[in-house]
């Protein structure tokens, strides 16, 4: 994370291609599975790291060999993030936190903006030792991400039935990341939503508003078809700060309604982050962890979400991913209007 910050600062000193390269490296650093310093100390090339070419490798080597005397605290748009490498190290201190995860509750396929099939994602889940995954492609209101209409959602459901019929002891949950308007309304017909096992409600518009958005969150949670509030702040590392709210009030409302709030574990999202998760812990609200994976490889980022929950002291009995699929379905069934 220190290298991520130094690359972000360094990008401001260059123009065009070099600026873009350092900004990209700053973001990619969150996704590296190993610390760059360890790779260098092992005598390996930093070009092993994703997004690192010859010029960037030279910049990183220089920073590692002669680090600045003081590394400034990151600005809010880059604050509160942790690297994948550090997340893995934290989870290694409590192996059961990784071993006992039963599934991943947010991911995308070719039905919207993902790059893999349902079966591909299921196979990856099996390899990771899961009992289930939830396919949460986008709904029709998010056209830029290939959002599905009701007919396409039904076709996807039929394919999920076929895949489940071929699997032994593993389950693909029928789910959706539904686009939620600022007034809390969704963009899909109720009958289509009632056919699903799980519905995430996420904001994808007006995400740069600076004014308090508490009422917006309360409206989304009160939507009877939403089970999980997805990537609540809508923040993205070094790109978008995300929304603000009276978070204790939001979490308390979610807990009162028996809804869940999400940890989106994708490294450049990490939303909710550890600071907000500590507030969530006090409310007793349910937590859902999803990788927001768009291909099989990105499913490994479940460790980022699990590490954030561990760092915030969230007990596993409040986290959906540690529960059997049948228990999750019993919970969502109890919330049906």
């Amino acid at each position: 994370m220190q290298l991520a910050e130094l690359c972000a600062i360094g990008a401001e000193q260059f123009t065009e291609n070099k600026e873009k390269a350092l900004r990209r490296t700053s973001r990619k650093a969150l996704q590296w599975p190993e610390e760059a310093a360890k790779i260098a100390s092992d005598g390996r090339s930093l070009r092993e790291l994703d997004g690192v070419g010859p010029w960037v490798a030279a910049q990183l080597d220089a920073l590692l060999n002669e680090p600045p005397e003081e590394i400034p605290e990151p600005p809010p748009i880059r604050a509160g993030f942790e690297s994948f490498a550090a997340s893995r190290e934290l989870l290694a201190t409590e192996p059961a936190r990784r071993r006992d995860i039963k599934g991943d509750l947010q991911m995308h396929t070719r039905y919207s903006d993902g790059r893999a099939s349902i079966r591909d994602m299921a196979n990856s889940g099996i390899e990771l030792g899961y009992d289930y995954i939830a396919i949460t492609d986008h709904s029709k209101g998010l056209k830029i991400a290939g959002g599905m209409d009701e007919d396409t959602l039904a076709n996807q459901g039929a394919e999920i039935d076929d895949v489940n019929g071929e699997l032994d002891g593993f389950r693909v949950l029928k789910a959706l990341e539904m686009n939620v308007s600022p007034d809390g309304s969704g963009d899909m017909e109720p009958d289509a939503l009632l056919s699903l096992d799980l519905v995430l409600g996420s904001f994808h518009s007006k995400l740069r508003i600076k004014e308090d958005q508490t009422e917006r969150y309360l409206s989304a949670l009160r939507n009877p078809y939403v089970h999980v509030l997805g990537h609540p702040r809508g923040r993205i590392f070094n790109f978008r700060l995300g929304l603000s709210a009276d978070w204790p009030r939001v979490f308390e409302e979610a807990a009162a309604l028996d809804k869940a709030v999400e940890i989106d574990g994708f490294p450049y999202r990490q939303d909710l982050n550890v600071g907000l998760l500590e507030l969530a812990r006090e409310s007793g609200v349910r937590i859902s962890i999803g990788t927001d994976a768009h291909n099989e490889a990105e499913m490994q980022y479940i460790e980022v979400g699990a590490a954030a929950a561990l760092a915030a002291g969230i007990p596993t009995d409040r986290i959906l991913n540690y529960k059997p699929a049948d228990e999750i379905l019993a919970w969502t069934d109890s919330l049906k209007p």
Side-chain angles (χ1 to χ4, degrees):
M1 291 311 301
Q2 291 177 333
L3 283 177
E5 183 59 22
L6 291 172
C7 285
I9 295 170
E12 299 169 1
Q13 303 171 20
F14 293 96
T15 57
E16 298 181 352
N17 291 342
K18 290 181 177 180
E19 176 193 12
K20 290 179 182 178
L22 285 177
R23 284 177 61 86
R24 183 175 62 250
T25 302
S26 178
R27 189 162 157 178
K28 286 286 187 182
L30 278 68
Q31 300 173 249
W32 294 339
E34 290 184 84
E35 296 287 1
K38 182 181 185 304
I39 290 175
S41 67
D42 289 346
R44 295 149 57 198
S45 171
L46 293 178
R47 294 187 65 183
E48 291 181 20
L49 297 168
D50 187 25
V52 176
W55 182 79
V56 168
Q59 303 302 306
L60 296 178
D61 274 326
L63 290 170
L64 290 170
N65 290 327
E66 295 186 25
E69 292 184 3
E70 184 177 353
I71 300 174
E73 289 295 318
I77 203 166
R78 296 194 295 270
F81 288 86
E82 192 51 272
S83 69
F84 179 34
S87 296
R88 299 182 81 181
E89 289 178 5
L90 177 59
L91 279 186
T93 66
E94 291 196 26
R97 280 277 182 157
R98 172 61 189 88
R99 184 183 63 241
D100 294 346
I101 294 173
K102 291 181 168 39
D104 182 342
L105 294 175
Q106 193 199 155
M107 64 185 66
H108 302 271
T109 72
R110 294 178 190 138
Y111 273 90
S112 62
D113 59 345
R115 298 183 293 281
S117 68
I118 293 168
R119 186 58 191 259
D120 291 336
M121 301 304 266
N123 286 339
S124 183
I126 292 168
E127 290 174 4
L128 289 166
Y130 297 158
D131 296 335
Y132 56 83
I133 58 170
I135 299 295
T136 58
D137 280 304
H138 291 289
S139 59
K140 63 185 179 183
L142 199 64
K143 297 186 185 303
I144 193 172
M148 303 180 296
D149 61 17
E150 287 82 358
D151 288 341
T152 306
L153 179 64
N155 291 337
Q156 183 187 67
E159 183 174 339
I160 288 174
D161 286 337
D162 290 341
V163 171
N164 280 334
E166 299 168 0
L167 299 174
D168 182 18
F170 185 87
R171 182 167 184 172
V172 179
L173 303 182
K174 298 176 184 178
L176 182 72
E177 184 179 7
M178 182 171 67
N179 193 44
V180 178
S181 299
D183 64 3
S185 60
D187 62 348
M188 300 290 278
E189 293 297 323
D191 286 348
L193 298 174
L194 288 172
S195 71
L196 299 174
D197 299 317
L198 183 72
V199 177
L200 277 62
S202 301
F203 297 123
H204 293 103
S205 62
K206 298 184 178 180
L207 297 177
R208 297 181 185 274
I209 295 175
K210 295 182 179 180
E211 293 78 19
D212 182 278
Q213 297 294 294
T214 301
E215 292 302 321
R216 179 174 176 177
Y217 286 105
L218 299 181
S219 295
L221 288 166
R222 290 166 184 162
N223 183 314
Y225 302 100
V226 170
H227 304 127
V228 179
L229 189 62
H231 51 67
R233 286 190 62 194
R235 72 173 190 160
I236 295 178
F237 179 82
N238 208 25
F239 176 75
R240 187 171 63 222
L241 182 60
L243 302 173
S244 60
D246 181 345
W247 293 108
R249 187 179 172 198
V250 172
F251 299 145
E252 287 166 8
E253 181 71 5
L257 294 170
D258 200 22
K259 303 290 181 80
V261 294
E262 185 188 47
I263 306 173
D264 185 319
F266 203 89
Y268 65 65
R269 285 188 179 273
Q270 297 186 42
D271 181 12
L272 299 164
N273 68 332
V274 173
L276 290 182
L277 286 170
E278 290 172 344
L279 296 177
R281 180 194 66 218
E282 297 305 313
S283 72
V285 67
R286 292 180 185 266
I287 301 294
S288 176
I289 304 174
T291 56
D292 210 344
H294 286 64
N295 59 49
E296 305 100 300
E298 291 172 354
M299 289 174 67
Q300 65 186 322
Y301 298 137
I302 197 75
E303 296 186 48
V304 178
L310 173 58
I314 306 289
T316 56
D317 64 3
R318 299 307 302 165
I319 303 174
L320 298 176
N321 309 69
Y322 293 92
K323 300 181 182 300
D326 287 345
E327 191 169 332
I328 293 175
L329 297 182
W331 165 64
T332 59
D333 190 61
S334 73
L335 296 175
K336 285 185 176 178

